[in-house]
Amino acid sequence: MNDLLHFLDQSPSRFHAVDCLRRELEGAGYTPLSEGRGWSIVPGGKYYAVRGGSALIAFRVPAGEARGFMISASHSDSPSFRIKENAELAGPEGYLRLNTERYGGMLFAPWLDRPLTVAGRVLARAGEGIETRLVYVDRDLLMIPNVAVHMNRAANDGFKYDPKCDMVPLMGLGTEKGAFRAVVAEYAGCKAEDILGTDLFLCPRQKAMVWGAGNEFVSSPRLDDLQCAWGCFRGFMAAEESASIPVFALLDNEEVGSLTKQGADGTFLADVVARVCAALELDRAAATANSFLVSADNAHAVHPNHPEYHDATHRPAMNAGVVIKHGVRYATDGVSQAVFTALCQKAGVPVQHFANRSDLPGGGTLGLISTSHLSVNTVDVGLAQLAMHSCYETAGAKDADYLVQAMTAFYAASFREEDGRFTLSN
Ligand code: CO
């Protein structure tokens, strides 16, 4: 559990999450592959590639002939507010505020009245080139103050927040122009005038924690989807070798539709698979047919105050195992459900099922989007959580370990499809 909390705290932005995993892979002897060069891949080797600074794919090649790919995909981004380019809003009354835009479909209210800061990256001039610098302004810098109930009597009557007005963070009073850029430059370790581009997002200052009468809950910013990313990564790192190639994929921009070069609607995963097949002289179509993808993105637990939002017979609970998601916006079908269920049964991991209440549309995730580029058997799974897309979410303290166990077994297995029969072996 401490390892998960550490990962969550060390990942205030998607760029930090990728950097965290990249450093661990380097420490474990993985070879970085640059997409801009030829790839030399050999049996027994372990590798990773990063795209866009916010997506990462790691894989290992078995010593013997490889049959296919055992893949997990999760996402690095979370709903937040992006800091606009011309960030400083001067006034009224001497206040300095920051101009932001919505990134993803967040709950507004939790962002109010809590210490915030910014995290992300800057692109800074470095000699003849441009270099990336990760930034986390490690201090209580910002707050979005509520309006007092005395002035907004409708505050508790289903108030509608206006993002251009109600969600604007306050940074200072009587503060000089240019102060925001200066703080960012200070924490990026460069000069303000050398900053040529930025990707900066608001993030809550509150750390991840375990709580409850029996320590049954874990709460943190970005549990969706860093909890699943962590579970898949731990399983990937722990798994024994099989006849297939284990692939860990962390992709960006799920919260805004995945339609970027580093998102699930980009070619990153398909490009990696194609390059591995070419390097190992594998028949790509055959390898794809013998591949399996676990799309791991958090699921909704039954809410203690609003149990009515769940379907009558699909009611995921926290600390009750990995959730398989069903419905038209998910990639799960009978085959992928059966294969994943059999795998979990063998690994001793409980599974439960989610389906939307029939009058609610629910949300989608990267499973279906990914299969449009790499058409492999895919199951959508997740861990049950509360308050999805709040800036401080809650999940079950035991569930991440269930996902680690399931994914350790998954990556140690090899999938084969032959004449309508499906086998998972080592
Ligand atoms: Co998600």
Side-chain angles (χ1 to χ4, degrees):
M1 174 53 65
N2 283 343
D3 186 55
L4 170 63
L5 301 185
H6 183 73
F7 175 58
L8 291 163
D9 288 342
Q10 294 298 305
S11 305
S13 80
R14 62 199 75 181
F15 308 104
H16 291 81
V18 163
D19 191 56
C20 237
L21 300 183
R22 180 192 63 74
R23 279 186 277 124
E24 178 159 348
L25 289 164
E26 294 248 310
Y30 282 70
T31 305
L33 296 169
S34 166
E35 286 203 274
R37 294 204 198 108
W39 286 7
S40 155
I41 296 168
V42 295
K46 27 190 206 177
Y47 309 91
Y48 74 90
V50 172
R51 183 179 282 189
S54 56
L56 177 148
I57 295 179
F59 61 93
R60 292 188 295 268
V61 182
E65 196 180 330
R67 177 185 295 158
F69 297 85
M70 300 298 276
I71 310 166
S72 76
S74 49
H75 65 90
S76 61
D77 62 326
S78 306
S80 178
F81 292 86
R82 171 190 274 277
I83 312 293
K84 285 186 179 173
E85 176 59 23
N86 297 323
E88 294 190 353
L89 279 166
E93 315 295 322
Y95 289 122
L96 181 74
R97 299 174 298 155
L98 295 185
N99 198 353
T100 59
E101 67 180 350
R102 294 163 70 174
Y103 176 89
M106 76 287 287
L107 288 167
F108 283 147
W111 287 89
L112 297 159
D113 302 328
R114 70 165 71 220
L116 305 170
T117 187
V118 293
R121 68 176 175 187
V122 301
L123 286 299
R125 188 182 290 112
E128 292 299 296
I130 297 166
E131 67 182 11
T132 302
R133 288 176 172 269
L134 297 192
V135 188
Y136 173 60
V137 178
D138 191 3
R139 53 176 283 209
D140 300 325
L141 183 73
L142 304 162
M143 191 87 71
I144 306 175
N146 248 306
V147 173
V149 73
H150 315 78
M151 289 154 182
N152 178 15
R153 292 284 176 193
N156 295 327
D157 303 327
F159 181 70
K160 188 174 181 341
Y161 294 94
D162 175 355
K164 74 176 181 302
C165 166
D166 296 303
M167 303 310 298
V168 180
L170 175 65
M171 179 176 154
L173 180 61
T175 316
E176 271 178 41
K177 201 166 178 282
F180 177 64
R181 213 16 102 100
V183 169
V184 169
E186 179 194 339
Y187 281 84
C190 65
K191 288 191 198 142
E193 59 268 30
D194 285 338
I195 296 177
L196 300 174
T198 62
D199 291 299
L200 297 170
F201 297 85
L202 283 191
C203 67
R205 288 282 287 163
Q206 196 168 352
K207 303 265 187 236
M209 65 167 180
V210 172
W211 61 280
N215 287 329
E216 53 273 76
F217 304 117
V218 57
S219 292
S220 172
R222 304 173 295 278
L223 277 180
D224 170 15
D225 188 27
L226 295 185
Q227 188 186 19
C228 280
W230 180 85
C232 291
F233 186 73
R234 283 279 151 263
F236 170 80
M237 295 300 272
E240 304 276 330
E241 184 173 309
S242 80
S244 292
I245 298 167
V247 180
F248 168 83
L250 181 63
L251 303 169
D252 192 7
N253 303 119
E254 192 278 334
E255 300 295 357
V256 291
S258 297
L259 196 73
T260 58
K261 69 182 192 304
Q262 62 278 355
D265 212 355
T267 58
F268 192 23
L269 182 58
D271 287 348
V272 168
V273 165
R275 295 180 82 160
V276 171
C277 286
L280 299 175
E281 295 179 356
L282 284 176
D283 177 333
R284 188 181 167 204
T288 304
N290 287 321
S291 294
F292 198 96
L293 187 147
V294 175
S295 156
D297 193 1
N298 268 0
H300 301 290
V302 171
H303 195 283
N305 302 341
H306 284 284
E308 73 278 10
Y309 284 125
H310 270 72
D311 184 65
T313 58
H314 298 86
R315 307 181 71 79
M318 290 179 281
N319 295 328
V322 179
V323 179
I324 298 177
K325 304 180 191 177
H326 305 265
V328 292
R329 300 178 75 177
Y330 296 116
T332 308
D333 61 11
V335 170
S336 63
Q337 170 193 355
V339 169
F340 189 77
T341 302
L343 175 103
C344 286
Q345 281 175 351
K346 210 170 144 196
V349 175
V351 295
Q352 38 185 349
H353 299 275
F354 175 83
N356 285 303
R357 206 180 71 183
S358 303
D359 58 341
L360 293 176
T365 181
L366 42 74
L368 272 183
I369 296 169
S370 177
T371 57
S372 69
H373 295 271
L374 185 71
S375 303
V376 301
N377 286 288
T378 301
V379 66
D380 268 302
V381 307
L383 299 176
Q385 71 157 95
L386 300 173
M388 189 180 285
H389 292 193
S390 169
C391 69
Y392 204 69
E393 302 173 315
T394 292
K398 277 196 211 165
D399 286 325
D401 283 338
Y402 282 136
L403 185 60
V404 174
Q405 285 171 44
M407 295 312 290
T408 305
F410 171 75
Y411 281 124
S414 182
F415 174 77
R416 178 187 299 196
E417 174 166 5
E418 232 163 15
D419 306 323
R421 276 185 69 83
F422 311 95
T423 34
L424 278 174
S425 55
N426 290 354

